[in-house]
Amino acid sequence: NRVPEQFFSLGSSMRCSIQGMLSRTHYPFRILTFQGHPEVTTDFIVDLAEHRYAAGIIPQETLEYVQNTRHR
């Protein structure tokens, strides 16, 4: 992974090579950071998608995509 040319890296770790970026081209500065959540497993994401589909929040196409990526 690499930081896009229009950004500076703000940090990295062994688990995540890009944890945050600062825009070189915008003022006031734009910052984008990432926070991993190890408790969010593939099964959790599939369950969440199924609940959101049942509630009418996401379309069937999105649900099927999530379900089909479970075993990748």
Side-chain angles (χ1 to χ4, degrees):
N1 297 332
R2 65 183 188 82
V3 177
E5 289 182 21
Q6 64 270 29
F7 290 89
F8 289 108
S9 174
L10 291 177
S12 64
S13 70
M14 291 178 66
R15 289 183 176 234
C16 181
S17 62
I18 303 171
Q19 289 187 320
M21 297 182 288
L22 172 71
S23 171
R24 296 176 188 243
T25 58
H26 291 93
Y27 186 84
F29 296 112
R30 294 184 182 171
I31 297 173
L32 176 64
T33 62
F34 305 94
Q35 179 179 353
H37 290 273
E39 73 278 10
V40 178
T41 64
T42 303
D43 288 338
F44 176 87
I45 296 298
V46 172
D47 288 344
L48 179 63
E50 289 170 349
H51 282 54
R52 290 186 176 228
Y53 172 73
I57 298 170
I58 64 171
Q60 183 173 352
E61 177 182 329
T62 302
L63 172 63
E64 290 171 358
Y65 175 82
V66 171
Q67 290 171 327
N68 291 332
T69 58
R70 176 182 278 188
H71 301 292
R72 286 187 183 177

